């Protein structure tokens, strides 16, 4: 037996003299990070100096604005399931990156933001140091689940490890860590510990699962509402098994698109909710806020009960009163729920004919909304099943949230409830970095694209061949339509003057294409995918109908 006296402690023997910057680099490598979306500056010099020694290990993508560091990290995380890591300077750098963190927060995406800080002895003193803002860490807590600072180099490994523990346990959400400029240069005897283990699956309280299984198994007309939690947990197979047992239609939210292939008759879009929800007696809400987006808490019809399963106990019951709430990982929890439901389940005839017909009717109604349907389906037609679509906050993407069939998990990336203009193109670049072998299509409006147009440089410099489409109506079209239709035509600040996009593409050294209709768009996408090079496709369009109005949803 080895005694404490006879050998140095293992920590001492493994500790090495290194700088804070080296400790940060080693800690990230230790957690399996090999890609950084980073924009340097003086407070990060100690980190970048150390990073140079490991430049063979890390792919460092430097965009042209910090908003893109976190958007790219989010896109990377959402398609790979791995943590996406952004690196920014403090103050304005982190503020610029915060919109991306808000998107990741709303979509439960494991993004790590690493920020520099001013000198440790000056923090919150208001001396006017470069990039100083008061209470930076408090500010960023609003869009992260955890934020922490290390002011000693020896504390860096534990700070990074805690960040990854936060990213790999409970609800995946962004995390921030920050390091003062002097801490990154200071040296110490530093030990890098074992990496944080991968996510462990917890299936939830067996009694609650049993109660839920009884309710579902005995239900006459069960329905499932599935959200992005299914994607994060990789629980599509378990969800489908339960849905098939119950012959329950699954309404899939925007964040959940692809959780079950849209080729399956049980997979229904959010458009189906209006008709299917009132028919249901037991509603299982799985990995979704089940929010109307407007509050207040939903009221259920008499005779209806809701069951909610979510990794975050705080989400349970927030937007709907629940008869049973199960805090569990979706994959393990749904597997257990399916297992037990089978024991209580009624015999259920297949609802294939009925629900396939319902789905077909919905598709026809959605398909009548032109030009959105034709243009969106042109994209779908040219993409393989595993092709990735990133929808900005724009007309063709709104239609796609409702109507574009998605066949594989994590292949449709939306803006979540932040709906932030400018997220789309940068997020698509990050997705392509994460999945270089899969075609990635970025759907943009001219307004939203203007926020990230500079990242055309990033696309060229880092050879990230995204098929970038700009639907150009020379307007913040959605705003303009609302002003025209609801406010008596009082158009203000909603019309845009744009560059010539073909000239723009040429200026950045990118292949530019122009497509005037769905058929031309198909050709342009096909050629772009074949060449697998950075591409900008402009599609000139005119004002489009409001899809929600056409569908009488709003
Ligand atoms: C960060 C941010 N700022 C402002 C808005 C408000 N907004 C919603 S849609 C929209 C217009 C979008 O224009 P464009 O990208 O050209 O798409 P279009 O509606 O024309 O299809 C605006 C300004 C927003 N969603 N996000
Ligand atoms: Mg527009």
């Amino acid at each position: 037996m080895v005694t404490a006296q006879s050998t140095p402690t293992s920590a001492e023997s493994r500790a090495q003299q290194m700088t804070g910057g080296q400790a940060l680099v080693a800690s990230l490598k230790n957690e399996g990070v090999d890609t950084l979306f980073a924009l340097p500056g003086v407070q990060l010099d100690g980190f970048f100096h150390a990073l140079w020694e490991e430049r063979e290990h890390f792919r460092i993508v430097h965009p042209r604005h910090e908003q893109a560091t976190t958007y790219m990290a989010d896109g990377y995380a959402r398609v790979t399931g791995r943590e996406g890591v952004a690196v920014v300077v403090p103050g304005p750098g982190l503020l610029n990156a915060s919109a991306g963190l808000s998107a990741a927060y709303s979509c439960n995406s494991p993004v790590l933001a690493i920020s520099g800080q001013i000198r440790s002895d000056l923090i919150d003193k208001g001396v006017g140091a470069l990039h100083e803002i008061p209470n930076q860490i408090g500010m960023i807590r609003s869009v992260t689940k955890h934020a922490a600072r290390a002011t000693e180099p020896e504390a860096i490994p534990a700070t990074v490890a805690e960040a990854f523990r936060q990213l790999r346990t409970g609800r995946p959400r962004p995390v921030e860590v920050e390091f003062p400029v002097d801490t990154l240069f200071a040296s110490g005897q530093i030990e890098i510990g074992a990496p944080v283990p991968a996510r462990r699956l917890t299936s939830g309280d067996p009694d609650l699962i049993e109660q839920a299984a009884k309710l579902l198994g005995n239900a006459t007309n069960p329905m499932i509402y599935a959200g992005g939690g299914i994607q994060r947990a990789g629980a599509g197979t378990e969800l489908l098994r339960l849905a098939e047992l119950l012959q329950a239609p699954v309404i899939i939210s925007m964040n959940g698109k692809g959780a079950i292939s849209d080729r399956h008759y049980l997979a229904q879009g959010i458009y189906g909710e209006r008709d299917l929800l009132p028919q249901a007696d037991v509603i299982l809400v799985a990995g979704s806020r089940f929010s109307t987006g407007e509050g207040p808490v939903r009221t259920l019809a008499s005779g209806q009960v809701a069951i909610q399963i979510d990794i975050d106990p705080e989400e349970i019951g927030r937007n709907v009163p629940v008869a049973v709430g199960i805090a569990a990982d979706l994959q393990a929890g749904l597997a257990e729920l399916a297992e037990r439901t089978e024991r209580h389940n009624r015999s259920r005839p297949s609802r294939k004919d009925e629900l396939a017909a319902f789905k077909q009717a919905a598709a026809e109604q959605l398909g009548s909304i032109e030009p959105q349907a034709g243009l969106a389906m042109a994209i779908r037609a040219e993409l393989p099943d595993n092709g990735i679509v990133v929808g900005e906050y724009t007309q063709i993407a709104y239609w796609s949230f409702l109507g574009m069939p998605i066949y594989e998990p994590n292949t449709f990336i939306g803006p979540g409830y932040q709906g932030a203009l400018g997220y789309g193109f940068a997020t698509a670049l990050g997705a392509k970095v994460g999945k270089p072998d899969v075609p990635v299509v970025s759907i943009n409006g001219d307004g939203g694209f203007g926020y990230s147009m500079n990242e055309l440089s990033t696309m060229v410099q880092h050879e990230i061949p995204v098929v970038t489409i700009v639907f150009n109506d020379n307007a913040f079209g959605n705003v303009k339509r609302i002003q025209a239709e609801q406010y008596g035509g009082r158009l203000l600040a909603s019309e845009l003057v744009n560059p010539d996009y073909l000239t723009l593409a040429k200026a950045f050294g990118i292949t530019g294409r122009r497509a005037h209709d769905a058929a031309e768009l198909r050709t342009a996408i096909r050629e772009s995918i074949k060449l697998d090079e950075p591409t900008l496709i402009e599609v000139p369009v005119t004002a489009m109908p409001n899809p929600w109005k056409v569908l009488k949803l709003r």
Side-chain angles (χ1 to χ4, degrees), residues 57 69 76 118 131 168-169 196 212 244 254 277 320 325 359 437 498 508 542:
H57 175 79
T69 63
Y76 177 92
I118 61 169
H131 303 336
R168 291 174 186 167
T169 56
V196 174
E244 283 181 333
M254 174 172 76
L277 185 60
V320 65
K359 191 169 173 156
D437 300 332
N498 287 312
F508 279 95
T542 50

Side-chain angles (χ1 to χ4, degrees), residues 97-312:
S98 61
L101 292 178
S102 76
Y105 189 85
S106 78
C107 293
N108 308 301
S109 182
V111 169
L112 176 64
I114 297 172
S115 173
Q117 245 299 6
I118 61 169
R119 237 172 57 199
S120 54
D121 58 329
L122 300 180
I123 293 170
D124 292 337
K125 297 265 165 59
V127 297
L130 179 70
H131 303 336
E132 175 183 6
I133 51 168
N135 194 20
Q136 169 171 301
I137 206 164
M139 176 277 293
I140 211 67
R141 284 207 169 103
S142 302
V143 285
T144 53
K145 73 182 275 199
H146 170 83
R149 178 192 304 149
T151 50
E152 303 295 334
E154 293 83 357
I156 289 177
T159 305
V160 173
E162 176 56 19
F164 277 87
R165 198 190 65 77
Q166 293 278 348
L167 291 160
R168 291 174 186 167
T169 56
R171 184 176 191 163
R173 272 190 155 166
V175 165
E176 188 249 14
V177 285
E178 56 185 53
F179 308 99
V181 55
D182 52 317
T183 309
L184 292 172
F185 277 119
S187 301
Q189 279 289 318
I190 299 174
E191 188 207 346
I192 311 296
V196 174
R199 189 167 280 277
R200 271 191 221 108
L201 306 185
T202 46
S203 67
D205 183 331
D207 292 341
L208 294 172
I209 294 186
E210 180 67 15
Q211 281 177 39
K214 274 188 189 152
L215 280 169
L216 285 166
N218 290 309
T220 316
N221 201 352
M223 192 200 95
I224 301 174
Y225 192 98
I230 304 290
Q231 311 269 27
R232 293 293 94 79
T237 309
E238 292 73 13
L239 175 69
L240 180 58
R241 172 157 179 246
L242 180 63
E244 283 181 333
L245 277 174
L246 295 167
Q247 286 300 299
V250 185
I251 305 282
I252 301 175
S253 79
M254 174 172 76
N255 285 341
K257 274 178 92 71
I260 295 177
S261 168
D262 266 316
R263 292 211 174 82
H264 199 291
Y265 65 94
L266 290 174
Q268 303 283 341
I270 37 184
Y271 177 46
E273 179 184 327
R274 187 183 49 195
D275 293 319
L276 293 172
L277 185 60
Q279 299 170 15
D281 56 347
V282 180
I283 303 149
L284 172 68
V285 180
S288 167
R289 295 180 183 87
F290 200 39
S291 166
T292 60
E294 285 159 13
V297 175
R298 286 178 187 252
T299 35
L300 296 172
S302 76
Q304 279 188 330
V305 291
I307 300 164
Q308 192 169 9
I309 179 166
D310 201 286
I311 194 157
D312 185 354

Side-chain angles (χ1 to χ4, degrees), residues 11 17 49-50 74 114 130 180 203 238 307 351 432 449 494:
Q17 187 73 19
H49 189 55
D74 182 14
I114 297 172
L130 179 70
S203 67
E238 292 73 13
I307 300 164
R351 294 180 68 184
K432 183 69 181 175
F449 188 65
S494 58

Side-chain angles (χ1 to χ4, degrees), residues 394-395 444-448 471-478 494 496 498 541:
T394 183
Q395 313 295 323
N444 303 277
D446 50 323
F471 293 96
N472 179 17
D473 60 356
N474 292 305
F476 286 136
N478 194 47
S494 58
L496 301 175
N498 287 312
V541 291

